[in-house]
Amino acid sequence: MKRLHLPEVVPAATEIWLLEFDFDSKQLIDDWSLLSVDEQIHSQCFRQHEDRVRGIVTRATLRRLLAKYLMLPPYKIPIEKNEFGKPRLPAYYGIEFNVSHTGDFALIALSAKGEIGVDIEYCNRDVNNLWVHVLSSEERAQGIWSNRNFIDLWVIKESVLKALGFGISEHLPAITVLPNNDGSYRVIHDRRDWTEIKAWSIEAPAHYAAAFALTNQHNYLTDN
């Protein structure tokens, strides 16, 4: 597991970790023991071995990372869900998290500076039929995004919506993403009930794209 380098303008109490899966690992039982009963039941719903490994290892690793801040055993961390199904900790802990996994890799993001969303995607995929469901009218007019960088836009938008805690598909065209000069992205929307949010592309393994988004809420993460 590797902690990723983030731009200097990102709040210090923000961490993103890259995890590479070993689908032949013999240590899966150790990860399994850290999961809640609901998480174990959910993992059993996956028919493919690789999908089960991704789910179990990612959640167990998340629990280990959270444990060092909460001073609780990993298996006792109370992970719940919001009304849209996004996993979270009870608000009094002051720590937000998000995960994403695909292929051989997962990203795990932690923050005490606001709600966080993260996404990683495999780049070699057919995107020709996705444009109509993703681009906003302003993005169409400006012509910034194309087939060449479409996955970059996708991971940014998905990370934004995950940070906001909403479902993905129905809100993608409601967000306009425009690049800034500092490597970040300006996120524009006309929803008064949505908070201000900013996004960044981050380093990813070859043939993958990744991004994260952070709201402007402010809490504090204390190292223990």
Side-chain angles (χ1 to χ4, degrees):
M1 186 169 61
K2 171 187 176 184
R3 182 173 178 177
L4 299 183
H5 174 75
L6 303 180
E8 293 183 0
V9 294
V10 176
T14 303
E15 301 177 9
I16 298 181
W17 296 83
L18 176 68
L19 174 64
E20 184 171 6
F21 297 115
D22 177 2
F23 296 108
D24 297 319
S25 174
K26 305 301 182 184
Q27 300 181 0
L28 200 60
I29 188 63
D30 296 331
D31 291 336
W32 174 264
S33 66
L34 301 184
L35 272 55
S36 69
V37 172
D38 287 343
E39 290 168 341
Q40 291 177 346
I41 293 173
H42 178 71
S43 70
Q44 291 174 330
C45 295
F46 294 113
R47 300 180 64 181
Q48 299 296 324
H49 169 73
E50 291 80 3
D51 291 334
R52 288 194 296 271
V53 170
R54 292 184 189 104
I56 294 169
V57 174
T58 301
R59 184 52 64 94
T61 304
L62 168 66
R63 286 180 169 276
R64 290 188 180 99
L65 288 171
L66 289 172
K68 72 175 184 177
Y69 295 115
L70 305 184
M71 298 189 69
L72 289 172
Y75 64 90
K76 287 189 176 181
I77 293 173
I79 296 176
E80 56 188 29
K81 292 183 179 180
N82 72 2
E83 59 183 303
F84 299 100
K86 178 185 178 182
R88 66 182 182 185
L89 292 172
Y92 53 80
Y93 283 115
I95 303 173
E96 306 295 340
F97 69 83
N98 197 231
V99 305
S100 178
H101 52 71
T102 189
D104 295 330
F105 298 96
L107 290 177
I108 301 175
L110 308 176
S111 178
K113 294 297 185 179
E115 296 275 2
I116 194 166
V118 67
D119 190 47
I120 183 170
E121 299 287 344
Y122 188 60
C123 293
N124 294 341
R125 56 183 292 187
D126 182 12
V127 301
N128 291 329
N129 296 324
L130 296 177
W131 288 98
V132 66
H133 304 294
V134 176
L135 288 183
S136 69
S137 58
E138 184 169 351
E139 288 166 341
R140 293 176 187 275
Q142 295 208 16
I144 296 173
W145 304 103
S146 66
N147 278 345
R148 178 182 54 82
N149 58 8
F150 178 80
I151 294 298
D152 294 325
L153 173 64
W154 178 275
V155 294
I156 294 166
K157 287 201 172 189
E158 185 154 343
S159 65
V160 166
L161 290 172
K162 291 173 74 175
L164 292 171
F166 298 122
I168 302 301
S169 59
E170 65 269 30
H171 294 300
L172 288 169
I175 296 171
T176 296
V177 174
L178 301 175
N180 293 320
N181 294 326
D182 61 357
S184 66
Y185 293 88
R186 186 158 50 103
V187 180
I188 303 170
H189 58 77
D190 58 5
R191 295 285 298 267
R192 294 184 178 180
D193 54 328
W194 291 6
T195 186
E196 181 182 346
I197 191 165
K198 203 169 186 178
W200 293 263
S201 292
I202 49 177
E203 63 179 291
H207 310 300
Y208 290 81
F212 77 99
L214 191 65
T215 69
N216 65 351
Q217 302 172 26
H218 295 287
N219 299 313
Y220 295 93
L221 182 63
T222 302
D223 292 329
N224 294 302

